[in-house]
Amino acid sequence: MNKFHSGLFFLATLIIAAFAPLSSYAVHAPQPVPETDYYAEGKDMPDYLEPMNRGIFEFNSFADRILLHPIASAYKDIVPEQSRAATGRFLRNLASPIVLANSMLQGDVENSFATFWRFCINSTLGLGGLFDVGSQIGMPYKKEDFGLTMGHYGVDHGTYLVLPILGPSSLRDGTGMIVDLFFDPLNYLPSDYDYVPYVLDSARVVNGRAAALDFTDTVDKVSLDPYATYRSGYSQRRYDMLKGDGNGARSNDISAFK
């Protein structure tokens, strides 16, 4: 087991340990309205940890203002839009094994087939995914992750959860992120290439943040409560993805919400 691989398992253990008290809290907290109902009533997902979440949100906003926003703005100014879009497609193509694994776990034969052949075609004819040839020949991208897989089998969101640096999530989706680490072949590279996942993750974050700049700048400027706006947006997007709407491709795989 290489150094990065060992670190990955150690990180996953720490995150699971951190989630354990939250899981206990969620069990003993008032039970949330079923996922299909609270949207019908025009509500966001339950936010039992709001005081803690708002504190983490403020920390994330501060880190974004002093570091990520300036970097993403400079990147957007320097790199042409078409190049940023191609970078997003390349990074999304690398994440295909995660989508494939979750599509198979959900028993989604159509998306499993499409994801496999999209990866093969885009990796070759699409020059590593820089060009989305698969979509052009009738195999559109449909994102899947383990949070959605758990939702597919009836696991509710639990409570809304803001993660340090990573931003909006939920108890279910945060746990799913840990499982998805083990579906990513890049986390099993030989020790000589331990740096590769870090480089790709950095590129994914900067490219995704640049894509979201206009939206987040508008929200921060006009919203009376940006925290609530991002919570609502994340809640609705994940609900739409679970129900099969809003699964379409974007230029990157990063949430538009801080």
Side-chain angles (χ1 to χ4, degrees):
M1 184 179 293
N2 64 47
K3 193 166 52 178
F4 179 81
H5 196 184
S6 300
L8 178 65
F9 277 87
F10 179 67
L11 176 61
T13 302
L14 287 180
I15 296 175
I16 291 171
F19 273 125
L22 296 181
S23 301
S24 176
Y25 179 89
V27 169
H28 294 95
Q31 291 302 304
V33 181
E35 195 164 346
T36 53
D37 293 336
Y38 58 73
Y39 279 109
E41 296 176 6
K43 300 177 181 178
D44 297 338
M45 67 174 69
D47 190 0
Y48 299 131
L49 304 174
E50 184 170 352
M52 181 190 76
N53 284 337
R54 283 187 178 272
I56 297 174
F57 176 80
E58 291 301 324
F59 168 79
N60 288 350
S61 297
F62 174 75
D64 183 70
R65 283 195 302 272
I66 66 172
L67 183 63
L68 190 53
H69 192 287
I71 293 174
S73 296
Y75 170 76
K76 185 177 181 181
D77 291 340
I78 295 171
V79 180
E81 181 178 359
Q82 290 185 341
S83 297
R84 299 196 308 271
T87 299
R89 290 191 293 267
F90 170 78
L91 294 169
R92 189 180 66 194
N93 189 59
L94 290 177
S96 296
I98 298 174
V99 177
L100 176 60
N102 282 289
S103 296
M104 293 174 67
L105 286 173
Q106 293 176 30
D108 187 342
V109 177
E110 181 179 354
N111 198 49
S112 298
F113 177 87
T115 299
F116 175 78
W117 285 109
R118 272 177 59 86
F119 178 73
C120 294
I121 293 170
N122 287 349
S123 297
T124 52
L125 298 179
L127 303 180
L130 292 174
F131 301 97
D132 190 359
V133 181
S135 288
Q136 297 174 14
I137 61 175
M139 290 181 287
Y141 172 73
K142 181 184 177 185
K143 175 175 167 49
E144 295 293 353
D145 54 51
F146 198 72
L148 295 173
T149 296
M150 287 190 284
H152 175 79
Y153 289 105
V155 178
D156 192 82
H157 274 297
T159 182
Y160 179 66
L161 189 64
V162 181
L163 299 174
I165 306 301
L166 299 178
S169 187
S170 67
L171 194 60
R172 183 188 74 196
D173 294 342
T175 304
M177 289 170 59
I178 300 169
V179 177
D180 284 334
L181 290 174
F182 299 98
F183 292 153
D184 189 351
L186 293 175
N187 290 327
Y188 299 90
L189 291 173
S191 57
D192 290 345
Y193 300 95
D194 281 352
Y195 64 92
V196 172
Y198 296 108
V199 173
L200 293 173
D201 286 343
S202 297
R204 190 173 285 116
V205 168
V206 172
N207 199 64
R209 186 66 186 94
L213 279 172
D214 290 342
F215 172 78
T216 57
D217 287 349
T218 299
V219 170
D220 292 343
K221 185 180 298 183
V222 305
S223 177
L224 295 176
D225 186 358
Y227 170 85
T229 301
Y230 291 124
R231 179 183 60 198
S232 180
Y234 179 81
S235 300
Q236 189 62 58
R237 174 166 170 74
R238 294 298 288 183
Y239 176 78
D240 290 344
M241 293 174 74
L242 182 60
K243 298 306 175 185
D245 303 318
N247 256 319
R250 296 187 299 170
S251 62
N252 57 82
D253 215 27
I254 299 294
S255 173
F257 309 105
K258 287 194 283 185

